Amino acid sequence: MNTYASQKDGIFPSVCSLDCPDQCGLLVHKRDGKIIKVEGDPNHPVTKGNICNKVRNVAERLYDEKRLQYPLKRIGKKGEGKFERISWKEAIQTITSQWKQLIETEGPESIIPYSFYGNMGNLSAEGMDRRFFNRLGATQLDRTICSTAGAMGYKYTMGGSFGVDPVDTIHAKLFIFWGINAVSTNMHQWAIAQKARKNGAKIVVIDVHKNQTGRMADWFIPILPGTDTALALGMMHILFAENLVDEAFLQEYTVGHGELRDHVVQYDPSTVSKITGVPDEDIYKLARLYAETSPSFIRIGNGIQHHDNGGMCVRTIACLPALTGQWLHKGGGAIKSNSSYLGYNETWLQRPDLLKNKNTRIINMNAIGEALLSLEKPFKSMYVYQSNPAVVAPSGNKVRTGLEREDLFLVVHDLFLTETAKYADIILPATSSYENTDFYCSYWHNHIQIQEPVIEAYGESKSNMDVFRLLAKGMGFDDPALFETDVELITGALESTGNPYIEGITYEMLAEKKYVKANIKPLFPGKLETPSGKIELYSQKMADAGLPPLPTYIPLCDDGDFPFQFVPAPNHNFLNSTFSNNEKHVSLEKEPKLHLNIQDALSRNIEDGDLVRVWNDRGECELKVSVDENVLPGVVATQGLWSDRPGTKHHLNSLTPDRIADIGGGATFFSGWVDIEKVYK
C-alpha cells in the first residue's frame, strides 16, 4: 500500500478528519518529510478546493511544541499536570496490570472507555477500540453527546438519516438554514446557497443568535431557544388553513396527514408568536414563502437538537417538506444528516459478539460526571481517547470532581496535555489522522474517502488501532479479531453491508480513487425505511415508545430560577475543544464573549466590553460582554469551548445541564439558564 509517509517532498491526497459534515478532500504539501501547507483538493466533486481556517492552519497544530511525543506517568497530584517520561513497554504493562487486578477484584465493569469523534475516521472512532472493550467486558458507553436526539427524531419521520443530495440544492430557490451556523460549520452548503442566490434564490436563517450566517442571510428570524417546534407547527397551521399543501403528495407518500391537519389547529400564529418571540406577521410570511417557492430546501442544524425537546423539534421540522411535496423537486427537501446512505458494516467492525455478558451496564456519556460520583459500584478506571470530557461534557464541575478521585486509574490517549489529561495517571501520545490509515464517511455529502499516512508518526505516538492491539496483547487476549490489520478492517467494513447505496465500493477502489460516491437515487418515488414505508406524520412507533405520535411542542424543563437562557454555540476557528489550545487558532478567534441584548444590558448597567460573571447552581464563568441585538432579550449566547488558561474562568460547560433529551438519549447543552452580574475589579 502506498502510504506517502516515507516520501520527503511532494503534494499528497488527504481528507479532513474533523467532526464536520463537509469532510473536505485535501492536498498536503510536504518538504523534508514535514507538512508545510494544507489546501483543498480542487478536484473533489463537492468541496472543490475550499477549506476552512481550522484546516488551513492545521500544520500549526501538528507541529505545536506542546504536542505529546512519548508516554508519561503522573508524579504530582491529580490535575496538577506533573508527569515524567516512561517507555511504551512500561505504559502498557502498567495499564494492563491495573486492569487485570481490577477485573479480578471488582469485575470488568469497573473499567469504562470514554471517547467520541475527535477523529472521524471509522477505524479510529469505532473499530479496534470497540472490539477491545467488548472483549474486556468493560462498561459500555452510550455515545449520544452530539446528534442522537435529532437523528432519532428525524428517523421517526423519514426512516433514517436520508436527505436530498446536497449537490442538487444548487437548484433550490429557497434555503432555510434552521439552527445551523453554516458559514462556520457547513461552509460548502453555504457556498452552494450563495451560488443559488445569484440565480434568484432566497436565504432565510432561523436561529437564537445572529451569527455570521444570520448576518449574511436575506432574512434573519430570531427565535427563543427551544421553541423551534412551535414555529414549525405554526407554519403547518397556516399551510393547512390556507390550502397551501400538496394534497396529492400527502395522499401517496405520507401517513397521518389527516390527524396532523386537525392537530395543528391549536398552533395558530398568535399562540406560536407568544411562545417563540417571532411576530405573527413573520410566521405568516415564512409559511407562505415556503409554500409558494419551489424547490425549497431546509438545512436542519445540530443546535436545535441540544434541548430537552430536541428530538421532537427535529422530527417536527422534518415533516415540513412533505406538506408542500418538496421531495419531488430536484434540490427540494431537507438534510439533517445523510449518514444512512453511507452505512457500512458496523457490526463486523465493532464485533459486539465479543462481549460475553450481554447485561453489561451502559452509561450515557452525557451523565459521565454523575456516574463518576454517584454509582453504587463506581468505576475504578477510565480510558479516554478522541475526547476531552473535562471541557466538552455537560455539568463539567461534576466531571472534574470525578476525575480528581484518587481511586480512579485514568488513562488518556491524546495529541496534547488536555484538561482531561492533567488528571491522568498514564498519558499516551496519539498520532494525528495524517499519520494513520482509515476510511471516512461524510454525514452531509455522499462520498466515502480514504486516508493513507502522509507523514511518519510524530515522536513515539501511536494510533488508536495500534494501541488497542498492544493492550490486547498485554491482557493476554488471543482473539484474531483484535489483531487484524487496518486494511483488513476497512475491507471487512465495506463487505456484506446490506446497504445498496455502497454496494460494490471496496478498499481497492478507495485506494485507487481516494473518494467514491454512493449509488444515490431520489427518495421518491420509493419506499422509506419507516414501518409504513412512507413519511410518518403520525408515528405509531413513537406512540408505542410513550412519545406523542404527532409533532407536539413541549416546553423546556425547569432549570432553576435564573433569568437568562444560555446557549453555548460553536465558533468559527475551533471544533469543540480541538484547536482551543493552539495559539494560531486562538489568535484567529481572539477571545470568548457573551452576547447580551442591549435592553438587558441597560437594565443591569452593563456596557459593551465589561467583564461579567455568568453563573447558576452548577458553576460560573467570567466573560467579556458583547452588547448588541444579535440575541433576543432574556437570551445570552457564547461561541466556542475555550481551554483553561491561567487567570481565566472560561469553563462554559460548568454551566450546562446533564439532563437527557426527550429522544435518543441526547445532550441538553442549550437548555440551561443562568444569571449575570458585572465584575468590578
Side-chain angles (χ1 to χ4, degrees):
M1 184 176 72
N2 179 17
T3 67
Y4 315 113
S6 61
Q7 301 180 48
K8 296 293 185 182
D9 301 292
I11 303 174
F12 306 98
S14 186
V15 56
C16 179
S17 67
L18 296 178
D19 188 358
C20 169
D22 297 50
Q23 203 165 92
C24 299
L26 304 176
L27 294 178
V28 173
H29 297 242
K30 284 175 60 178
R31 182 184 302 155
D32 297 327
K34 294 181 65 174
I35 294 175
I36 59 169
K37 180 182 177 182
V38 178
E39 63 181 353
D41 181 353
N43 295 317
H44 191 282
V46 182
T47 60
K48 298 182 177 179
N50 298 314
I51 59 174
C52 67
N53 276 341
K54 293 184 279 287
V55 181
R56 187 175 292 109
N57 294 291
V58 78
E60 302 270 352
R61 174 176 170 81
L62 296 177
Y63 302 111
D64 191 311
E65 63 180 10
K66 298 188 296 293
R67 186 170 168 190
L68 299 171
Q69 298 191 55
Y70 37 75
L72 302 169
K73 71 175 180 181
R74 177 168 63 91
I75 57 174
K77 295 180 180 179
K78 283 207 168 190
E80 192 175 5
K82 290 185 178 180
F83 300 90
E84 68 178 13
R85 180 176 181 173
I86 59 173
S87 67
W88 269 100
K89 181 179 179 181
E90 181 180 348
I92 296 298
Q93 186 174 19
T94 301
I95 296 166
T96 55
S97 296
Q98 285 276 354
W99 285 353
K100 288 175 184 177
Q101 183 177 354
L102 282 174
I103 290 171
E104 184 177 343
T105 59
E106 305 283 343
E109 289 177 280
S110 63
I111 303 165
I112 184 171
Y114 189 98
S115 71
F116 205 63
Y117 292 84
N119 177 345
M120 284 293 290
N122 296 312
L123 303 191
S124 297
E126 50 187 75
M128 198 59 75
D129 61 319
R130 307 297 176 92
R131 293 183 177 200
F132 175 80
F133 284 112
N134 283 334
R135 174 62 179 83
L136 192 71
T139 291
Q140 301 282 291
L141 185 73
D142 196 8
R143 293 170 172 85
T144 58
I145 201 167
C146 182
S147 60
T148 56
M152 286 298 297
Y154 191 92
K155 185 177 182 178
Y156 279 126
T157 300
M158 297 295 297
S161 293
F162 301 104
V164 62
D165 187 336
V167 174
D168 287 345
T169 62
I170 189 65
H171 302 290
K173 295 301 180 183
L174 174 65
F175 291 78
I176 300 179
F177 289 92
W178 203 320
I180 179 171
N181 183 4
V183 172
S184 297
T185 64
N186 191 190
M187 63 175 286
H188 295 90
Q189 183 65 76
W190 181 256
I192 293 171
Q194 293 277 64
K195 290 180 181 178
R197 181 152 61 179
K198 292 178 181 178
N199 294 323
K202 298 295 183 186
I203 299 176
V204 177
V205 173
I206 304 169
D207 214 322
V208 300
H209 176 217
K210 194 173 186 180
N211 46 44
Q212 290 193 62
T213 307
R215 292 193 294 272
M216 296 173 69
D218 296 304
W219 182 19
F220 174 71
I221 302 175
I223 188 169
L224 290 172
T227 66
D228 305 81
T229 305
L231 179 58
L233 289 164
M235 292 174 65
M236 293 180 193
H237 173 101
I238 295 166
L239 294 174
F240 279 119
E242 298 187 357
N243 296 315
L244 297 174
V245 298
D246 186 330
E247 294 286 357
F249 186 91
L250 290 173
Q251 289 288 341
E252 186 167 358
Y253 296 114
T254 75
V255 295
H257 52 90
E259 294 94 328
L260 182 63
R261 185 190 304 267
D262 295 337
H263 176 69
V264 299
V265 169
Q266 64 189 298
Y267 295 101
D268 60 275
S270 178
T271 298
V272 169
S273 179
K274 292 181 177 67
I275 295 170
T276 63
V278 180
D280 296 30
E281 57 269 26
D282 285 351
I283 300 171
Y284 278 107
K285 178 182 175 182
L286 177 63
R288 291 165 180 165
L289 178 66
Y290 184 66
E292 295 165 1
T293 309
S294 187
S296 62
F297 166 69
I298 303 176
R299 180 64 172 101
I300 306 173
N302 264 2
I304 50 179
Q305 71 190 339
H306 289 154
H307 283 291
D308 297 306
N309 57 14
M312 179 61 81
C313 174
V314 173
R315 183 267 198 280
T316 303
I317 296 170
C319 293
L320 282 169
L323 268 64
T324 58
Q326 286 306 308
W327 291 110
L328 293 180
H329 302 278
K330 190 171 185 178
I335 296 175
K336 167 61 176 71
S337 166
N338 275 332
S339 60
S340 292
Y341 287 119
L342 302 182
Y344 50 88
N345 193 337
E346 290 184 6
T347 300
W348 186 90
L349 187 60
Q350 299 181 17
R351 293 295 300 271
D353 59 294
L354 293 172
L355 180 64
K356 306 306 180 187
N357 177 11
K358 302 306 179 185
N359 295 317
T360 298
R361 64 181 173 181
I362 301 172
I363 299 296
N364 186 308
M365 68 187 307
N366 297 304
I368 192 63
E370 187 69 22
L372 283 167
L373 296 174
S374 303
L375 287 179
E376 185 176 341
K377 291 187 66 176
F379 307 127
K380 291 302 180 71
S381 182
M382 185 172 175
Y383 185 97
V384 177
Y385 57 108
Q386 299 213 153
S387 187
N388 184 12
V391 172
V392 304
S395 289
N397 284 340
K398 286 185 189 177
V399 177
R400 296 189 183 201
T401 301
L403 295 176
E404 285 178 344
R405 282 173 36 202
E406 282 295 335
D407 67 336
L408 179 75
F409 177 65
L410 178 65
V411 183
V412 174
H413 184 205
D414 209 304
L415 280 75
F416 293 92
L417 185 64
T418 63
E419 289 81 358
T420 304
K422 289 179 181 178
Y423 296 94
D425 296 284
I426 298 290
I427 299 175
L428 306 175
T431 51
S432 71
S433 64
Y434 302 93
E435 299 151 56
N436 297 341
T437 299
D438 216 327
F439 78 109
Y440 291 78
C441 301
S442 170
Y443 52 92
W444 172 66
H445 65 67
N446 298 314
H447 290 75
I448 298 181
Q449 305 179 84
I450 194 169
Q451 172 71 66
E452 296 170 292
V454 178
I455 53 176
E456 301 286 354
Y458 187 79
E460 297 180 12
S461 61
K462 295 183 184 296
S463 70
N464 285 344
M465 290 75 73
D466 285 341
V467 173
F468 285 113
R469 292 184 190 107
L470 288 174
L471 290 170
K473 183 178 179 181
M475 292 298 297
F477 299 155
D478 57 6
D479 309 70
L482 301 177
F483 299 97
E484 290 182 329
T485 67
D486 298 343
V487 172
E488 287 173 328
L489 290 171
I490 297 173
T491 300
L494 294 174
E495 291 177 345
S496 304
T497 64
N499 179 1
Y501 298 109
I502 66 167
E503 186 176 348
I505 297 177
T506 64
Y507 163 75
E508 290 77 15
M509 187 183 297
L510 288 174
E512 176 189 354
K513 297 183 178 181
K514 309 310 173 191
Y515 39 78
V516 180
K517 187 173 184 179
N519 309 306
I520 303 301
K521 61 180 181 179
L523 292 176
F524 301 97
K527 186 175 181 180
L528 299 182
E529 295 183 17
T530 56
S532 66
K534 299 182 178 184
I535 298 174
E536 299 208 339
L537 306 176
Y538 179 98
S539 170
Q540 184 59 47
K541 194 171 183 179
M542 293 185 76
D544 294 342
L547 298 165
L550 289 163
T552 302
Y553 170 65
I554 301 169
L556 300 181
C557 298
D558 178 29
D559 193 56
D561 188 19
F562 301 98
F564 295 98
Q565 290 184 268
F566 173 58
V567 179
N571 67 18
H572 197 67
N573 292 293
F574 305 164
L575 207 160
N576 295 319
S577 68
T578 302
F579 303 113
S580 67
N581 65 334
N582 301 118
E583 296 303 326
K584 177 66 175 182
H585 294 82
V586 170
S587 68
L588 291 169
E589 196 62 35
K590 297 179 181 176
E591 63 180 349
K593 291 185 177 180
L594 183 80
H595 293 271
L596 178 68
N597 185 275
I598 190 169
Q599 293 181 33
D600 294 323
L602 289 171
S603 70
R604 302 233 167 179
N605 194 30
I606 294 172
E607 298 181 356
D608 188 70
D610 280 348
L611 186 69
V612 297
R613 173 178 175 251
V614 190
W615 60 280
N616 58 22
D617 53 11
R618 288 181 287 268
E620 66 176 20
C621 293
E622 289 184 356
L623 302 166
K624 284 188 179 179
V625 163
S626 177
V627 176
D628 48 44
E629 294 185 327
N630 292 332
V631 291
L632 291 173
V635 178
V636 292
T638 60
Q639 291 185 283
L641 296 177
W642 293 74
S643 68
D644 289 348
R645 289 173 182 259
T648 66
K649 292 182 180 179
H650 293 162
H651 184 199
L652 297 175
N653 272 322
S654 68
L655 302 167
T656 54
D658 57 2
R659 296 189 302 273
I660 306 303
D662 56 343
I663 296 173
T668 58
F669 290 111
F670 293 179
S671 286
W673 291 70
V674 298
D675 204 344
I676 59 174
E677 60 186 6
K678 188 172 180 176
V679 175
Y680 294 91
K681 288 190 176 181

